[in-house]
């Protein structure tokens, strides 16, 4: 018999209440704003896929399995397929959800149903009856996220070339975003910020101390970190502040570092488009699609491969624990061979 304290609320009602709750936690500082928005977006997507008019307590594990399958095949609007997809509404169809996105969506649902169980919206947590495993959702495996040295050099070289490239005469002056796009890619690859940290950055967060330009990054949990910028990044930043940002500034967001051509603070969802535009300039032989988070992995991987102190890398990325670095470290081709050629006990090999 159903307990009398179970509330017969619809999926739409419960997800709306849950969304308000996590946004309230964000407003009080109990939850990072970026994390709250991810949870909110995922549960609202769940409501759309499950049917907002259905009673939440009536959902079974099979129903959640169906939602997970639907999400796996849902186009990812942030990215495009690398090859044409006939009959998909255009020459470049939207890519499906990555394995990482599917795993994140599943975690969001688990958190939602734990809360629903506590509040009496469901009698039993249907996540316990879910039978699908990642391989059943299409066999997607997480691709190595970090770019190789050649791929990273190609991307950064393309970004630097945009700084001195002649302006496109077909575009209005206030729509020329080459300097801004180059700066975004260089900051992502050199410093490895979270995309939310990048888009929240203000002009005043960049300061000079003893001749070195620093970026004060406001990270998760209210933590801040001051990261010195490499000279190559500093030069592009100063060029953007002196010229590129001035073209985009319409007085609407006087503090924001990164502006859209409409003069608004750049949105998180726009950053992937910036990366893709820079990637289009890379030699196809060294081009590989990458997300903002993939560039964060690239930063960690190459700093660690260069024997940079682990605690310094942790501080650059804004991790609270060294153990987190293990999830950001990818293997690089040839790194073991290179390490053994300069073995500290045997000395460097003869060329």
């Amino acid at each position: 018999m159903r307990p009398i304290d179970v509330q017969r609320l619809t999926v739409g009602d419960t997800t709306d209440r849950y969304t308000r709750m996590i946004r309230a936690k964000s407003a009080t500082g109990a939850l990072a704003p970026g994390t709250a928005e991810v949870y909110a977006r995922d549960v609202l997507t769940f409501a759309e896929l499950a049917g907002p008019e259905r009673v939440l307590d009536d959902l079974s594990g099979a129903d959640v399995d169906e939602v997970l399958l639907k999400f796996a095949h849902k186009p990812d609007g942030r990215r495009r397929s690398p090859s044409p997809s006939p009959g998909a509404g255009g020459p470049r169809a939207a890519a499906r959800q990555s394995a990482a996105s599917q795993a994140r969506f599943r975690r969001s649902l688990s958190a939602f149903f734990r809360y629903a169980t506590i509040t009496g919206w469901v009698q039993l947590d249907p996540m316990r009856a879910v039978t699908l495993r990642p391989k059943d959702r299409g066999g997607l495996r997480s691709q190595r996220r970090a770019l190789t040295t050649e791929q990273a050099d190609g991307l950064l070289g393309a970004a630097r070339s945009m700084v001195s490239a002649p302006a496109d005469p077909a575009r209005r002056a206030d729509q020329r975003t080459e300097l801004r796009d180059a700066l975004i890619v260089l900051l992502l690859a050199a410093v490895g910020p979270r995309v939310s940290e990048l888009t929240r950055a203000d002009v005043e967060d960049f300061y000079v101390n003893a001749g070195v330009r620093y970026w004060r990054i406001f990270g998760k949990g209210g933590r801040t970190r001051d990261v010195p910028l490499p000279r190559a990044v500093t030069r592009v930043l100063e060029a953007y502040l002196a010229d590129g940002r001035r073209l985009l500034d319409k007085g609407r967001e006087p503090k924001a570092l990164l502006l859209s051509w409409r003069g608004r603070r750049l949105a998180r969802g726009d950053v992937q488009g910036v990366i893709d535009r820079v990637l289009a300039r890379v030699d196809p032989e060294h081009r590989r699609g990458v997300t903002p988070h993939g560039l964060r992995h690239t930063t960690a991987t190459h700093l660690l491969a260069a024997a940079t102190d682990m605690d310094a890398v942790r501080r650059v990325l804004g991790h609270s624990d060294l153990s987190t670095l293990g999830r950001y470290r990818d293997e690089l081709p040839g790194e073991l061979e290179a390490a053994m050629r300069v073995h500290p006990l045997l000395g460097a090999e003869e060329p």
Side-chain angles (χ1 to χ4, degrees):
M1 179 177 294
R2 185 183 304 278
I4 59 173
D5 58 346
V6 171
Q7 304 175 51
R8 300 281 291 169
L9 298 175
T10 65
V11 171
D13 286 339
T14 55
T15 52
D16 285 345
R17 293 186 187 190
Y18 182 76
T19 300
R20 289 197 297 270
M21 181 274 295
I22 59 177
R23 285 176 174 159
K25 291 181 68 175
S26 171
T28 60
L31 194 63
T35 303
E37 287 309 306
V38 168
Y39 283 155
R41 184 179 69 234
D42 282 343
V43 296
L44 292 176
T45 299
F46 164 71
E48 174 190 341
L49 297 177
E53 74 288 344
R54 299 179 66 181
V55 174
L56 185 69
D57 192 42
D58 289 344
L59 297 184
S60 64
D63 293 322
V64 179
D65 280 340
E66 184 179 354
V67 169
L68 292 173
L69 280 168
K70 287 180 179 178
F71 180 80
H73 294 87
K74 187 177 185 292
D76 186 345
R78 300 170 302 171
R79 309 196 63 192
R80 298 285 176 181
S81 297
S83 58
S85 179
R92 286 165 63 86
R96 292 179 178 179
Q97 300 294 326
S98 68
S101 293
Q102 293 181 52
R104 186 212 67 235
F105 183 70
R106 189 177 184 128
R107 290 194 298 271
S108 295
L109 292 194
S110 295
F112 168 68
F113 277 110
R114 283 197 300 271
Y115 183 79
T117 304
I118 294 171
T119 55
W121 296 343
V122 295
Q123 179 180 357
L124 297 173
D125 183 350
M127 294 300 293
R128 296 184 179 183
V130 166
T131 60
L132 287 180
R133 295 295 178 264
K135 64 180 180 180
D136 298 319
R137 298 202 302 271
L140 296 175
R141 296 180 59 193
S142 295
Q143 184 183 32
R144 72 183 310 281
R145 297 186 178 185
L147 299 179
T148 65
T149 301
E150 293 78 11
Q151 292 165 347
D153 286 346
L155 179 63
L156 295 178
R160 286 193 289 264
S161 71
M162 296 170 68
V163 176
S164 56
D168 184 354
R171 302 179 68 186
R172 288 170 21 192
D174 63 352
Q175 293 182 358
R176 295 170 186 163
T177 59
E178 290 82 4
L179 268 174
R180 185 207 65 186
D181 293 354
L183 177 62
I184 287 172
V185 168
L186 289 170
L187 286 173
L188 286 170
V191 182
R194 301 173 179 90
V195 67
S196 58
E197 295 171 344
L198 178 70
T199 55
R200 286 202 305 264
D202 291 332
V203 173
E204 64 188 20
D205 299 338
F206 295 81
Y207 64 94
V208 177
N209 184 25
V212 178
R213 175 78 75 163
Y214 285 81
W215 177 12
R216 175 160 293 170
I217 302 176
F218 294 85
K220 294 175 67 174
R223 295 187 295 270
T224 62
R225 61 190 189 277
D226 291 4
V227 179
L229 300 180
R231 291 182 180 176
V233 181
T234 298
R235 286 194 291 269
V236 177
L237 171 67
E238 292 174 349
Y240 171 71
L241 292 175
D243 190 19
R245 188 183 180 281
R246 177 180 55 81
L247 293 175
L248 304 174
D249 186 6
K250 297 176 176 62
R252 296 171 179 168
E253 298 280 355
K255 296 172 57 178
L257 174 72
L258 302 174
L259 299 172
S260 71
W261 66 269
R262 293 184 175 88
R264 301 289 188 186
R265 183 183 292 272
L266 198 70
R268 292 176 49 163
D270 295 331
V271 176
Q272 184 64 57
V274 170
I275 296 173
D276 290 342
R277 281 198 295 276
V278 179
L279 277 171
R281 296 170 173 258
V282 179
D283 181 351
E285 184 179 349
H286 296 137
R287 183 192 305 159
R288 201 202 85 196
V290 66
T291 64
H293 201 68
L295 289 177
R296 184 166 163 82
H297 277 251
T298 299
T299 303
T301 295
H302 287 274
L303 285 176
L304 291 170
T308 307
D309 178 72
M310 290 184 65
D311 191 60
V313 179
R314 176 193 67 78
R315 289 159 58 198
V316 167
L317 295 182
H319 290 152
S320 58
D321 195 314
L322 270 176
S323 62
T324 310
L325 277 181
R327 299 202 301 268
Y328 284 74
R329 173 72 163 95
D330 286 343
E331 294 181 5
L332 292 174
E335 65 178 340
L336 293 183
E337 293 79 0
M340 296 308 287
R341 282 198 297 270
V342 291
H343 198 293
L345 299 180
L346 301 177
E349 291 183 356
E350 294 292 332

Coordinates of all heavy atoms in Angstrom, one line a residue, residues 87-153:
G87 N 20.4 13.8 -45.0 CA 19.0 13.7 -44.5 C 18.9 14.2 -43.0 O 17.8 13.9 -42.4
A88 N 19.8 14.8 -42.5 CA 19.7 15.3 -41.1 C 19.5 16.8 -41.0 O 19.7 17.4 -40.0 CB 21.0 14.9 -40.3
G89 N 19.0 17.3 -42.1 CA 18.6 18.7 -42.0 C 19.7 19.7 -42.3 O 19.6 20.9 -42.1
G90 N 20.8 19.2 -42.9 CA 21.8 20.1 -43.3 C 23.1 19.4 -43.5 O 23.2 18.2 -43.2
P91 N 24.1 20.0 -44.1 CA 25.4 19.3 -44.4 C 26.1 18.9 -43.1 O 26.9 18.0 -43.1 CB 26.1 20.3 -45.2 CG 25.6 21.7 -44.8 CD 24.1 21.4 -44.5
R92 N 25.9 19.6 -42.0 CA 26.6 19.3 -40.8 C 25.6 19.2 -39.7 O 25.2 20.2 -39.1 CB 27.7 20.4 -40.4 CG 28.9 20.3 -41.3 CD 29.7 21.6 -41.2 NE 30.2 21.8 -39.9 CZ 31.3 21.3 -39.4 NH1 32.0 20.5 -40.2 NH2 31.7 21.6 -38.2
A93 N 25.2 18.0 -39.3 CA 24.2 17.8 -38.3 C 24.8 17.9 -36.9 O 25.9 17.7 -36.7 CB 23.5 16.5 -38.5
A94 N 23.9 18.3 -36.0 CA 24.3 18.4 -34.6 C 24.8 17.0 -34.1 O 24.1 16.0 -34.3 CB 23.2 18.9 -33.7
A95 N 25.9 16.9 -33.3 CA 26.4 15.7 -32.8 C 25.5 15.2 -31.6 O 24.8 16.0 -31.0 CB 27.8 15.9 -32.3
R96 N 25.6 13.9 -31.4 CA 24.8 13.3 -30.2 C 25.6 13.6 -29.0 O 26.7 14.1 -29.0 CB 24.7 11.8 -30.4 CG 23.7 11.5 -31.6 CD 23.6 10.0 -31.7 NE 22.7 9.6 -32.8 CZ 22.4 8.4 -33.1 NH1 23.0 7.4 -32.5 NH2 21.6 8.1 -34.1
Q97 N 25.0 13.3 -27.9 CA 25.6 13.6 -26.6 C 26.8 12.7 -26.4 O 26.8 11.5 -26.7 CB 24.6 13.3 -25.4 CG 23.3 14.1 -25.5 CD 23.6 15.6 -25.3 OE1 24.4 16.0 -24.5 NE2 22.8 16.4 -26.0
S98 N 27.9 13.3 -25.8 CA 29.1 12.6 -25.5 C 28.9 11.7 -24.3 O 27.9 11.8 -23.6 CB 30.2 13.5 -25.3 OG 30.0 14.2 -24.1
A99 N 29.8 10.7 -24.1 CA 29.8 9.9 -23.0 C 29.8 10.7 -21.7 O 29.2 10.3 -20.7 CB 30.9 8.8 -23.0
A100 N 30.7 11.7 -21.7 CA 30.8 12.6 -20.5 C 29.5 13.3 -20.2 O 29.1 13.4 -19.0 CB 31.9 13.6 -20.7
S101 N 28.8 13.8 -21.2 CA 27.5 14.4 -21.0 C 26.5 13.5 -20.5 O 25.6 13.8 -19.6 CB 27.0 15.1 -22.3 OG 27.9 16.1 -22.7
Q102 N 26.5 12.2 -21.0 CA 25.5 11.2 -20.5 C 25.8 10.9 -19.0 O 24.8 10.7 -18.3 CB 25.6 10.0 -21.4 CG 25.2 10.2 -22.8 CD 25.3 8.9 -23.6 OE1 24.8 7.8 -23.2 NE2 26.0 9.0 -24.7
A103 N 27.1 10.8 -18.7 CA 27.4 10.5 -17.3 C 27.0 11.6 -16.4 O 26.4 11.4 -15.3 CB 28.9 10.2 -17.2
R104 N 27.2 12.9 -16.8 CA 26.7 14.0 -16.0 C 25.2 14.1 -15.9 O 24.7 14.3 -14.8 CB 27.2 15.3 -16.7 CG 27.0 16.6 -16.0 CD 26.7 17.8 -16.9 NE 25.4 17.6 -17.6 CZ 25.3 17.7 -18.9 NH1 26.4 17.9 -19.7 NH2 24.1 17.6 -19.4
F105 N 24.5 13.8 -16.9 CA 23.0 13.8 -16.9 C 22.5 12.7 -15.9 O 21.6 12.9 -15.1 CB 22.5 13.5 -18.3 CG 21.0 13.5 -18.4 CD1 20.3 14.7 -18.3 CD2 20.3 12.3 -18.6 CE1 18.9 14.7 -18.4 CE2 18.9 12.4 -18.7 CZ 18.2 13.6 -18.6
R106 N 23.2 11.6 -15.9 CA 22.8 10.5 -15.0 C 23.0 10.9 -13.6 O 22.2 10.6 -12.7 CB 23.6 9.2 -15.3 CG 23.1 8.0 -14.6 CD 23.9 6.8 -15.1 NE 23.4 5.6 -14.5 CZ 23.1 4.5 -15.1 NH1 23.2 4.5 -16.4 NH2 22.7 3.4 -14.5
R107 N 24.2 11.6 -13.3 CA 24.4 12.1 -11.9 C 23.4 13.1 -11.5 O 23.0 13.1 -10.3 CB 25.9 12.6 -11.9 CG 27.0 11.6 -12.0 CD 28.3 12.2 -11.6 NE 28.7 13.3 -12.4 CZ 29.4 13.2 -13.5 NH1 29.8 12.0 -13.9 NH2 29.7 14.3 -14.2
S108 N 23.0 13.9 -12.4 CA 22.0 15.0 -12.1 C 20.7 14.3 -11.7 O 20.0 14.7 -10.8 CB 21.8 15.9 -13.2 OG 23.0 16.7 -13.5
L109 N 20.3 13.3 -12.5 CA 19.0 12.5 -12.1 C 19.1 11.8 -10.8 O 18.2 11.8 -10.0 CB 18.7 11.5 -13.2 CG 18.3 12.1 -14.6 CD1 17.7 11.0 -15.5 CD2 17.4 13.2 -14.5
S110 N 20.3 11.3 -10.5 CA 20.5 10.6 -9.2 C 20.3 11.6 -8.1 O 19.6 11.3 -7.1 CB 21.8 9.9 -9.2 OG 22.0 8.9 -10.1
A111 N 20.9 12.8 -8.2 CA 20.7 13.8 -7.2 C 19.3 14.2 -7.0 O 18.8 14.4 -5.9 CB 21.6 15.0 -7.5
F112 N 18.6 14.4 -8.2 CA 17.2 14.8 -8.1 C 16.3 13.8 -7.4 O 15.5 14.1 -6.6 CB 16.7 15.0 -9.6 CG 15.2 15.1 -9.7 CD1 14.6 16.2 -9.2 CD2 14.5 14.2 -10.3 CE1 13.2 16.4 -9.3 CE2 13.1 14.3 -10.5 CZ 12.4 15.4 -10.0
F113 N 16.5 12.5 -7.8 CA 15.6 11.5 -7.2 C 16.0 11.2 -5.7 O 15.1 10.8 -4.9 CB 15.7 10.2 -8.0 CG 14.8 10.2 -9.2 CD1 15.3 10.2 -10.5 CD2 13.4 10.1 -9.0 CE1 14.4 10.2 -11.6 CE2 12.5 10.1 -10.1 CZ 13.0 10.2 -11.4
R114 N 17.2 11.4 -5.3 CA 17.5 11.3 -3.9 C 16.8 12.4 -3.1 O 16.2 12.1 -2.0 CB 19.0 11.5 -3.6 CG 19.9 10.3 -4.0 CD 21.3 10.4 -3.3 NE 22.0 11.5 -3.8 CZ 22.8 11.5 -4.9 NH1 22.9 10.4 -5.6 NH2 23.4 12.6 -5.3
Y115 N 16.7 13.6 -3.7 CA 16.0 14.7 -3.0 C 14.5 14.4 -3.1 O 13.7 14.6 -2.1 CB 16.2 16.0 -3.8 CG 15.6 17.2 -3.2 CD1 16.1 17.8 -2.0 CD2 14.4 17.7 -3.7 CE1 15.5 18.9 -1.5 CE2 13.8 18.8 -3.2 CZ 14.3 19.4 -2.0 OH 13.7 20.5 -1.5
A116 N 14.0 13.8 -4.2 CA 12.6 13.5 -4.3 C 12.2 12.4 -3.3 O 11.0 12.4 -2.7 CB 12.3 13.0 -5.7
T117 N 13.1 11.5 -3.0 CA 12.8 10.5 -2.0 C 12.7 11.1 -0.6 O 11.8 10.7 0.2 CB 13.9 9.4 -2.0 OG1 14.0 8.8 -3.3 CG2 13.5 8.2 -1.0
I118 N 13.6 12.0 -0.3 CA 13.6 12.6 1.0 C 12.3 13.5 1.3 O 11.7 13.5 2.3 CB 14.8 13.5 1.2 CG1 16.1 12.6 1.2 CG2 14.8 14.4 2.5 CD1 17.4 13.4 1.2
T119 N 11.9 14.2 0.2 CA 10.8 15.1 0.3 C 9.4 14.4 0.2 O 8.4 15.1 0.4 CB 10.9 16.2 -0.7 OG1 11.0 15.6 -2.0 CG2 12.1 17.1 -0.5
G120 N 9.4 13.1 -0.1 CA 8.2 12.4 -0.3 C 7.5 12.5 -1.6 O 6.3 12.3 -1.7
W121 N 8.2 12.9 -2.6 CA 7.7 12.9 -4.0 C 7.6 11.6 -4.6 O 6.8 11.3 -5.5 CB 8.5 13.9 -4.9 CG 8.5 15.3 -4.5 CD1 7.6 15.9 -3.6 CD2 9.4 16.3 -4.9 NE1 7.9 17.2 -3.4 CE2 9.0 17.5 -4.2 CE3 10.5 16.3 -5.7 CZ2 9.7 18.7 -4.4 CZ3 11.2 17.5 -5.9 CH2 10.8 18.7 -5.2
V122 N 8.5 10.7 -4.2 CA 8.4 9.3 -4.7 C 8.6 8.3 -3.5 O 9.2 8.7 -2.5 CB 9.6 9.0 -5.7 CG1 9.4 9.8 -6.9 CG2 10.9 9.2 -5.0
Q123 N 8.0 7.2 -3.6 CA 8.1 6.2 -2.6 C 9.4 5.4 -2.7 O 10.0 5.2 -1.7 CB 6.9 5.2 -2.7 CG 6.9 4.0 -1.7 CD 5.7 3.1 -1.9 OE1 4.9 3.3 -2.8 NE2 5.7 2.1 -1.1
L124 N 9.8 5.1 -3.9 CA 11.0 4.4 -4.1 C 11.8 5.1 -5.2 O 11.3 5.6 -6.2 CB 10.8 2.9 -4.6 CG 10.1 2.0 -3.6 CD1 9.8 0.7 -4.3 CD2 10.9 1.8 -2.4
D125 N 13.1 5.1 -5.0 CA 14.0 5.8 -6.0 C 14.1 4.9 -7.3 O 14.7 3.8 -7.2 CB 15.4 6.0 -5.4 CG 16.4 6.7 -6.3 OD1 16.0 6.9 -7.5 OD2 17.4 7.1 -5.8
P126 N 13.6 5.4 -8.4 CA 13.7 4.5 -9.6 C 15.1 4.3 -10.2 O 15.3 3.4 -11.0 CB 12.8 5.3 -10.6 CG 12.8 6.7 -10.2 CD 12.9 6.6 -8.7
M127 N 16.0 5.2 -9.8 CA 17.4 5.0 -10.3 C 18.0 3.7 -9.8 O 18.9 3.2 -10.5 CB 18.3 6.2 -9.8 CG 17.9 7.5 -10.3 SD 18.0 7.7 -12.1 CE 19.8 7.5 -12.4
R128 N 17.5 3.1 -8.7 CA 18.0 1.8 -8.3 C 17.5 0.7 -9.2 O 18.1 -0.4 -9.1 CB 17.4 1.6 -6.8 CG 17.9 2.6 -5.8 CD 17.5 2.2 -4.4 NE 17.9 3.1 -3.4 CZ 17.7 2.9 -2.1 NH1 17.0 1.9 -1.7 NH2 18.2 3.8 -1.2
A129 N 16.5 1.0 -10.0 CA 16.0 -0.1 -10.9 C 16.5 0.1 -12.3 O 16.0 -0.6 -13.2 CB 14.5 -0.1 -10.8
V130 N 17.3 1.1 -12.6 CA 17.8 1.4 -13.9 C 18.7 0.3 -14.3 O 19.6 -0.2 -13.6 CB 18.5 2.8 -14.0 CG1 19.4 2.9 -15.2 CG2 17.6 3.9 -13.9
T131 N 18.5 -0.2 -15.5 CA 19.3 -1.4 -16.0 C 20.4 -1.0 -17.1 O 21.3 -1.8 -17.3 CB 18.4 -2.5 -16.6 OG1 17.7 -1.9 -17.7 CG2 17.4 -3.0 -15.6
L132 N 20.2 0.1 -17.7 CA 21.1 0.5 -18.8 C 22.5 0.8 -18.2 O 22.6 1.5 -17.2 CB 20.6 1.7 -19.5 CG 19.4 1.4 -20.5 CD1 19.0 2.7 -21.2 CD2 19.8 0.4 -21.5
R133 N 23.5 0.4 -18.9 CA 24.9 0.8 -18.6 C 25.4 1.6 -19.8 O 24.8 1.6 -20.9 CB 25.7 -0.5 -18.4 CG 25.3 -1.3 -17.2 CD 25.6 -0.5 -15.9 NE 25.1 -1.2 -14.7 CZ 23.9 -1.0 -14.1 NH1 23.1 -0.2 -14.7 NH2 23.6 -1.7 -13.1
P134 N 26.5 2.3 -19.6 CA 27.0 3.2 -20.7 C 27.1 2.5 -22.1 O 26.8 3.1 -23.1 CB 28.3 3.7 -20.2 CG 28.2 3.7 -18.7 CD 27.3 2.5 -18.4
K135 N 27.6 1.2 -22.1 CA 27.7 0.6 -23.4 C 26.4 0.3 -24.1 O 26.3 0.2 -25.3 CB 28.5 -0.8 -23.2 CG 27.7 -1.8 -22.4 CD 28.5 -3.1 -22.3 CE 27.8 -4.2 -21.4 NZ 28.6 -5.4 -21.3
D136 N 25.3 0.2 -23.3 CA 24.0 0.0 -23.9 C 23.4 1.3 -24.4 O 22.4 1.3 -25.2 CB 23.0 -0.5 -22.8 CG 23.4 -1.9 -22.2 OD1 23.9 -2.7 -23.0 OD2 23.3 -2.0 -21.0
R137 N 24.0 2.4 -24.1 CA 23.5 3.7 -24.6 C 24.2 4.2 -25.8 O 24.4 5.3 -26.1 CB 23.7 4.8 -23.5 CG 22.9 4.5 -22.2 CD 22.6 5.8 -21.4 NE 23.8 6.5 -21.1 CZ 24.5 6.2 -20.0 NH1 24.1 5.3 -19.1 NH2 25.6 6.9 -19.7
G138 N 24.8 3.2 -26.6 CA 25.4 3.5 -27.8 C 26.9 3.2 -27.9 O 27.5 3.4 -28.9
G139 N 27.4 2.6 -26.8 CA 28.8 2.3 -26.9 C 29.8 3.4 -26.9 O 30.9 3.3 -27.3
L140 N 29.3 4.6 -26.5 CA 30.2 5.7 -26.5 C 31.3 5.6 -25.4 O 31.0 5.3 -24.2 CB 29.4 7.0 -26.3 CG 28.4 7.3 -27.4 CD1 27.6 8.6 -27.0 CD2 29.1 7.6 -28.7
R141 N 32.5 5.9 -25.8 CA 33.6 5.9 -24.8 C 34.2 7.3 -24.8 O 34.2 8.0 -25.8 CB 34.7 4.9 -25.2 CG 34.2 3.5 -25.2 CD 35.3 2.6 -25.6 NE 36.5 2.7 -24.7 CZ 37.7 2.2 -24.9 NH1 37.9 1.5 -26.0 NH2 38.7 2.4 -24.0
S142 N 34.7 7.7 -23.6 CA 35.3 9.0 -23.5 C 36.5 9.1 -24.4 O 37.5 8.3 -24.1 CB 35.6 9.4 -22.0 OG 34.5 9.4 -21.3
Q143 N 36.6 10.0 -25.3 CA 37.7 10.2 -26.2 C 38.8 10.9 -25.3 O 38.5 11.6 -24.4 CB 37.4 11.1 -27.4 CG 38.5 11.3 -28.3 CD 38.1 12.2 -29.5 OE1 37.3 13.1 -29.2 NE2 38.6 12.0 -30.7
R144 N 40.1 10.6 -25.6 CA 41.1 11.3 -24.9 C 40.8 12.8 -25.1 O 40.6 13.3 -26.2 CB 42.5 10.9 -25.3 CG 42.9 11.4 -26.7 CD 44.3 10.9 -27.1 NE 45.3 11.1 -26.1 CZ 45.9 12.2 -25.9 NH1 45.5 13.3 -26.6 NH2 46.8 12.4 -25.0
R145 N 40.9 13.6 -24.0 CA 40.4 15.0 -24.1 C 41.6 15.9 -24.5 O 41.4 16.9 -25.2 CB 39.8 15.4 -22.8 CG 38.5 14.6 -22.5 CD 37.8 15.2 -21.3 NE 36.6 14.5 -21.0 CZ 35.7 14.8 -20.1 NH1 36.0 15.9 -19.3 NH2 34.6 14.2 -19.8
A146 N 42.8 15.6 -23.9 CA 43.9 16.5 -24.2 C 44.4 16.4 -25.6 O 44.5 15.4 -26.2 CB 45.0 16.2 -23.2
L147 N 44.7 17.6 -26.2 CA 45.3 17.6 -27.5 C 46.7 17.2 -27.4 O 47.4 17.5 -26.4 CB 45.2 19.0 -28.1 CG 43.8 19.7 -28.3 CD1 44.0 21.1 -28.8 CD2 43.0 18.8 -29.2
T148 N 47.2 16.6 -28.4 CA 48.6 16.3 -28.5 C 49.4 17.6 -28.7 O 48.8 18.6 -29.0 CB 48.9 15.3 -29.7 OG1 48.6 15.9 -30.9 CG2 48.1 14.0 -29.5
T149 N 50.8 17.5 -28.7 CA 51.6 18.7 -28.9 C 51.3 19.3 -30.2 O 51.2 20.5 -30.4 CB 53.1 18.3 -28.7 OG1 53.3 17.8 -27.4 CG2 53.9 19.5 -28.9
E150 N 51.3 18.4 -31.3 CA 51.1 18.9 -32.6 C 49.7 19.5 -32.8 O 49.5 20.6 -33.4 CB 51.2 17.7 -33.6 CG 52.6 17.2 -33.8 CD 53.0 16.3 -32.6 OE1 52.1 15.9 -31.8 OE2 54.2 15.9 -32.5
Q151 N 48.7 18.9 -32.2 CA 47.3 19.5 -32.3 C 47.2 20.8 -31.5 O 46.6 21.8 -32.0 CB 46.3 18.5 -31.7 CG 46.2 17.2 -32.6 CD 45.5 16.1 -31.9 OE1 45.3 16.1 -30.6 NE2 45.1 15.1 -32.6
A152 N 47.8 20.9 -30.3 CA 47.8 22.1 -29.6 C 48.6 23.2 -30.3 O 48.1 24.4 -30.3 CB 48.4 21.8 -28.2
D153 N 49.7 22.9 -30.8 CA 50.5 23.9 -31.6 C 49.7 24.4 -32.8 O 49.8 25.6 -33.1 CB 51.8 23.2 -32.1 CG 52.8 23.0 -31.0 OD1 52.6 23.6 -29.9 OD2 53.8 22.3 -31.2

